[in-house]
Amino acid sequence: QVQLVESGGGVVQPGGSLRLSCGASGFTFNTYGMHWVRHSPGKGLEWVAFIRYDGTDTDYADSVRGRFTVSRDNSKHTLYLQMSSLRTEDTAVYSCVKDPSSGYFFDSWGQGTLVTVSS
Amino acid sequence: QSALTQPRSVSGSPGQSVTISCTGTSSDVGGYNYVSWYQLHPGKVPKLMIYHVSERPSGVPDRFSGSKSGNTASLTISGLQAEDEADYYCCSYAGRYSYVFGTGTKVTVL
């Protein structure tokens, strides 16, 4: 079955950077788009970013555009999220989510990795 | 990309029905029939309850139903059960590859 395992979270100071990874298995990774979604107690669920199956196109939430970059390495079945200029409001659990073949909802989530932005 | 508006909380007794509203704009909820609903229990991965406004994935009880009118979508839980106590979030496709989630609703079973 689909398995998504995130890593790379931790504590970082405001203005700092962090790179998250998501290892995928149980499906043909290079044929599916992938999303990052975050969850924080204060702001709830928030869609963060998307990358096409082949990496040729991406999209971002306005709140992270210009600071975060999503990428993927299909040879390693891995999704990445490079986060820079981090703010306290970026504190959340970040999950990678597989885009379903029929689109427009999220049915396969990773457990997530916690990012804490604090001085 | 403003969050969709949901009530902060709703409650009901076992066996009763509750409805959660999810209000957006013509650029998201009103513009597409791509509203989905997710159930969150503490420490667990979000569970898809409804997709494409009113479709139920296999394994989701038929007491969960979804609908939409204009810029507002709704999730109704009929025959409320103790295990339905959780947070619920709506989500709408918002164009290109983007999505917007709701503010979240805590469902309490009295």
Side-chain angles (χ1 to χ4, degrees), chain A residues 34-100:
Chain A
M34 296 293 296
H35 301 265
W36 285 99
V37 176
R38 65 187 182 185
H39 183 211
S40 63
K43 296 173 69 176
L45 288 171
E46 183 181 12
W47 175 80
V48 173
F50 170 80
I51 186 167
R52 269 175 55 103
Y53 68 97
D54 56 3
T56 58
D57 206 359
T58 58
D59 201 3
Y60 299 90
D62 290 344
S63 57
V64 307
R65 193 184 310 274
R67 301 187 299 121
F68 289 13
T69 302
V70 59
S71 62
R72 63 192 298 160
D73 186 335
N74 284 344
S75 68
K76 295 182 178 179
H77 300 141
T78 302
L79 175 73
Y80 302 101
L81 185 67
Q82 178 67 48
M83 305 184 296
S84 60
S85 301
L86 282 161
R87 306 167 181 167
T88 55
E89 56 263 36
D90 295 320
T91 294
V93 172
Y94 286 73
S95 296
C96 60
V97 188
K98 171 180 160 289
D99 193 72

Side-chain angles (χ1 to χ4, degrees), chain B residues 13-38:
Chain B
S13 300
Q16 287 187 330
S17 293
V18 295
T19 296
I20 303 168
S21 60
C22 168
T23 301
T25 69
S26 58
S27 296
D28 36 64
V29 175
Y32 310 94
N33 287 323
Y34 296 133
V35 175
S36 51
W37 289 89
Y38 302 86

Side-chain angles (χ1 to χ4, degrees), chain A residues 25 43 102 105:
Chain A
S25 61
K43 296 173 69 176
S102 53
F105 56 88

